[in-house]
Amino acid sequence: MLTLFSLLTALPAVVALHLLEPGLVLPAFSLLLFAEATFAMIAARLLHVQGSAGDITLWDLAGSFTLIGCAAAMFGEPDQAALLLEQGGPRPAPRP
């Protein structure tokens, strides 16, 4: 479970570093971690796996993804997040 958590956290970070501008990495990483937390929460809710106190569960993964996503969002600048969200929208027509 710990290996899965490490791969799901590190792999998107490396991909984001190579594909995005440096200012957009933290907002994109934050959104990705929130999405991963959502999927982990849904899987934990549907599977109902009973574990002992020493095991790492899907609920722990969901909480970890959320915590790291919040930290990435706090370290990023608000204008960077706005720039990331604007890139997917319609572009204004150029003025003559």
Side-chain angles (χ1 to χ4, degrees), residues 23-48:
L24 300 177
V25 171
L26 284 176
F29 189 55
S30 174
L31 289 174
L32 182 69
L33 284 170
F34 287 136
E36 287 179 0
T38 303
F39 288 131
M41 185 227 21
I42 291 170
R45 184 79 175 149
L46 293 176
L47 294 179
H48 299 291

Side-chain angles (χ1 to χ4, degrees), residues 2-80:
L2 191 59
T3 305
L4 177 67
F5 172 73
S6 300
L7 284 175
L8 289 176
T9 304
L11 188 62
V14 172
V15 171
L17 282 172
H18 289 291
L19 294 179
L20 296 173
E21 297 175 20
L24 300 177
V25 171
L26 284 176
F29 189 55
S30 174
L31 289 174
L32 182 69
L33 284 170
F34 287 136
E36 287 179 0
T38 303
F39 288 131
M41 185 227 21
I42 291 170
R45 184 79 175 149
L46 293 176
L47 294 179
H48 299 291
V49 176
Q50 298 294 329
S52 65
D55 291 339
I56 296 175
T57 65
L58 287 171
W59 289 109
D60 297 327
L61 286 180
S64 300
F65 287 140
T66 303
L67 182 67
I68 296 171
C70 287
M74 287 185 337
F75 285 125
E77 298 290 328
D79 58 337
Q80 294 170 347

